[in-house]
Amino acid sequence: MPAAVLSGVLLLGLAGAGSSFSPAVTVQASPVENAEANPDGSSDTADAAASGEELTPEEQLQQELDQVYAMEVQSNGWEAWPAGPGTYGEAAIVMEVGTGTILYAKNIDAHHYPASITKLVTTLAALKNGNLQDPVTFSHNSVSFLKWDEASIGMKEGNQLTLEQALYATLLASANEAAYAVGESVGVNAGHDYNWFIQQMNEICRELGGTNSNFVNTNGLHDPNHYTCARDMALIGRELFQYPDFFRIAQTPQYTIPASATTEEHVFQQHHEMLLPDNSDYYPYAIGGKTGYTSDALSTLVTMADNGSMQLVCVVLKTHGINVYPDTRNLLEYGFQNFRKVSVAEEETSKNVEEILPAEEDAESGSDPEDSYVLLPKDASFDDLVREILPDGGGSREATIRYTYEDQPVGEARAVLSDRYFEEHGAKVQDVSGEKKKEQPAEEKMNVSGVVLAALAVLLVILIYALIRVTRKRKQKTRRRRRRGKR
């Protein structure tokens, strides 16, 4: 049996777009066992393959796991950046929510099939375009596509739920018919249709900065044109932090849809094991997320976590074996243990900055300026950062300051610029050391160009006027001479 197929067989118990059966066999390899099985760092399965011996299915799977774990982690090559763990997933990312800083990156822009983590995009589009008490009606199209082994809660044509109830079914039970009905009904309620809702999913992803996704359905059932990447899913997970209703639903261990005039009672449970206190994979900082699995996507998982001082989103894609939860735990722990928030207002001492303003989303609530922060490796200093100042222009004294650490974006802040800045750096912006200079933003260049063009236009008018006067004087002198000649 091919290794990829074997991985799928071993993973049928994971909740997702595919089957929800329990696996009969499980194989899980640890990083240490894989990397140090032999003194030279090779594994027995690698030795067997090199010698031409035929591998057993278990050895094939172990070889596959070794290869995936050894794939390059790009963030481990970033200058002065904390080294992160390997994963048994082919792509993974850890993103800090407040700044959007990427802490860990492994093939984060590579296209992969999302499976049921698609339902996070579905939920986001539904929360943006609908109300929780809106009706969700199960049409023929929303139930007729289901196969016997695909995740479902058994809804029937003609059943009707509220959008809130349908989202519980979508997120907890990963019900494919519920996800379809959500998209179709939100579209219809908005005066459109299911295809319009799919367009909204893609537009939302692009608006958030996602450039490597194409969603063609709301549930994640396999389609070769339905794909995403780790970075895009992290951006979607980050955006969901703006919707408390998502977390209220996603954290529920068990939910009951009561019987009504249109539907029978349905009871279903949470599938994300890191959210279940009695589960061996429980993670106390996990606060939300979504599972996924198909034989093409393998295991996918999005997990949001909060340790009280930092909020993270972790995405793992195409995870081999049953390592999706251990990998996620390792990545989240890597983020929490190796990075820290640093207040911009407390550390910013540049004479170009008069004041650090509160973060935009907190300005109306009167939050303290200390809410603006950068995220740094634990051993890095604020003095190590490079600053890029982007003035608003148009006569405003305010600007956005973007901070980078060894070329990696780590956050930004809103600021009021000082008189010194305008006096000494009106045409240039400096980094935090005051040694490197960057060009003016395009907006200011346009303003300066406009002034120059206006001045040139005025000068041209003056020259034309002067030329006309000179010409007139010459004509007048010529006429006088002619008159004198006639006399």
Side-chain angles (χ1 to χ4, degrees):
M1 182 183 297
V5 175
L6 181 60
S7 295
V9 172
L10 299 180
L11 282 161
L12 287 176
L14 288 172
S19 172
S20 58
F21 292 148
S22 298
V25 182
T26 59
V27 175
Q28 181 172 350
S30 69
V32 174
E33 291 171 345
N34 288 336
E36 301 179 1
N38 293 322
D40 62 357
S42 64
S43 67
D44 290 334
T45 54
D47 291 344
S51 65
E53 297 178 14
E54 184 175 350
L55 301 178
T56 66
E58 290 76 12
E59 289 173 335
Q60 288 179 355
L61 176 58
Q62 185 62 59
Q63 184 181 58
E64 178 185 272
L65 291 170
D66 292 342
Q67 292 171 347
V68 173
Y69 192 84
M71 291 174 70
E72 180 186 5
V73 176
Q74 284 75 28
S75 55
N76 286 352
W78 296 349
E79 186 72 24
W81 203 259
T87 71
Y88 292 103
E90 296 187 19
I93 189 172
V94 178
M95 179 180 289
E96 196 270 333
V97 172
T99 62
T101 301
I102 296 173
L103 311 185
Y104 180 95
K106 178 179 180 179
N107 302 325
I108 61 175
D109 293 316
H111 290 182
H112 287 288
Y113 299 125
S116 275
I117 61 172
T118 299
K119 295 178 173 100
L120 291 177
V121 196
T122 303
T123 299
L124 180 56
L127 293 173
K128 281 182 176 287
N129 293 285
N131 297 305
L132 291 179
Q133 297 310 309
D134 287 346
V136 170
T137 301
F138 286 77
S139 67
H140 174 75
N141 288 340
S142 69
V143 296
S144 60
F145 68 89
L146 279 172
K147 298 178 181 178
W148 67 272
D149 61 344
E150 293 173 349
S152 165
I153 60 168
M155 299 300 291
K156 299 179 177 62
E157 183 177 350
N159 288 168
Q160 188 175 92
L161 304 175
T162 65
L163 177 57
E164 181 177 26
Q165 291 171 328
L167 288 178
Y168 272 103
T170 298
L171 291 172
L172 301 189
S174 201
N176 291 305
E177 80 276 33
Y180 190 108
V182 164
E184 185 176 56
S185 294
V186 171
V188 170
N189 293 340
H192 303 282
D193 57 13
Y194 179 78
N195 290 328
W196 173 86
F197 187 87
I198 299 295
Q199 292 174 2
Q200 296 306 299
M201 293 168 61
N202 285 291
E203 286 182 15
I204 288 170
C205 183
R206 286 191 292 270
E207 288 171 359
L208 295 174
T211 59
N212 288 289
S213 295
N214 186 61
F215 303 107
V216 301
N217 61 51
T218 58
N219 46 42
L221 288 172
H222 182 68
D223 185 299
N225 294 316
H226 185 89
Y227 56 83
T228 190
C229 70
R231 187 201 299 264
D232 289 6
M233 289 307 305
L235 291 169
I236 290 162
R238 181 189 181 203
E239 180 67 10
L240 280 166
F241 274 81
Q242 304 300 316
Y243 295 86
D245 286 325
F246 164 74
F247 290 99
R248 176 174 57 82
I249 294 171
Q251 293 170 8
T252 304
Q254 177 174 297
Y255 187 75
T256 299
I257 297 176
S260 69
T262 64
T263 184
E264 64 273 24
E265 180 183 86
H266 294 274
V267 182
F268 42 86
Q269 289 74 38
Q270 169 71 251
H271 281 178
H272 195 313
E273 296 179 6
M274 299 181 83
L275 297 169
L276 298 172
D278 295 333
N279 193 283
S280 60
D281 287 313
Y282 174 68
Y283 184 62
Y285 300 144
I287 59 172
K290 184 70 189 75
T291 60
Y293 174 80
T294 67
S295 57
D296 293 281
L298 300 186
S299 288
T300 63
L301 186 68
V302 177
T303 307
M304 294 83 157
D306 186 340
N307 70 348
S309 61
M310 190 184 303
Q311 294 176 326
L312 303 178
V313 179
C314 178
V315 181
V316 290
L317 300 177
K318 201 167 186 180
T319 302
H320 297 245
I322 59 169
N323 300 285
V324 68
Y325 291 118
D327 278 357
T328 296
R329 173 185 285 270
N330 290 340
L331 290 174
L332 289 171
E333 283 297 296
Y334 158 80
F336 287 135
Q337 294 177 14
N338 288 280
F339 297 87
R340 62 190 178 95
K341 291 180 178 180
V342 177
S343 168
V344 175
E346 292 180 0
E347 297 291 335
E348 183 58 83
T349 58
S350 170
K351 293 181 180 180
N352 288 326
V353 177
E354 180 178 305
E355 177 187 4
I356 296 296
L357 299 172
E360 286 186 10
E361 62 269 22
D362 297 327
E364 293 183 1
S365 63
S367 298
D368 294 332
E370 285 74 19
D371 287 340
S372 294
Y373 64 91
V374 292
L375 201 77
L376 298 182
K378 62 182 181 181
D379 295 328
S381 166
F382 191 85
D383 293 334
D384 298 327
L385 301 185
V386 171
R387 173 204 305 114
E388 182 181 11
I389 298 178
L390 303 173
D392 291 351
S396 172
R397 296 179 61 85
E398 294 185 7
T400 297
I401 306 177
R402 293 177 180 169
Y403 295 94
T404 57
Y405 173 75
E406 298 294 347
D407 296 327
Q408 301 305 319
V410 293
E412 60 183 40
R414 293 287 296 165
V416 177
L417 299 178
S418 66
D419 292 336
R420 180 183 184 275
Y421 171 83
F422 289 103
E423 291 170 359
E424 299 184 11
H425 306 90
K428 299 286 182 180
V429 293
Q430 289 187 319
D431 73 351
V432 74
S433 67
E435 296 174 356
K436 297 181 182 178
K437 294 186 176 181
K438 297 181 180 290
E439 290 189 359
Q440 252 180 307
E443 183 179 354
E444 286 200 358
K445 287 183 178 179
M446 291 176 64
N447 291 340
V448 173
S449 299
V451 172
V452 173
L453 289 175
L456 290 174
V458 172
L459 181 60
L460 181 61
V461 170
I462 293 172
L463 290 173
I464 292 172
Y465 178 72
L467 181 62
I468 291 172
R469 291 200 62 179
V470 170
T471 303
R472 284 179 178 175
K473 286 182 179 181
R474 287 180 179 176
K475 287 182 179 179
Q476 288 174 355
K477 289 180 179 179
T478 302
R479 287 172 187 165
R480 288 172 186 167
R481 289 172 185 165
R482 287 175 181 173
R483 287 173 186 170
R484 289 172 184 168
K486 289 179 181 180
R487 291 178 185 173

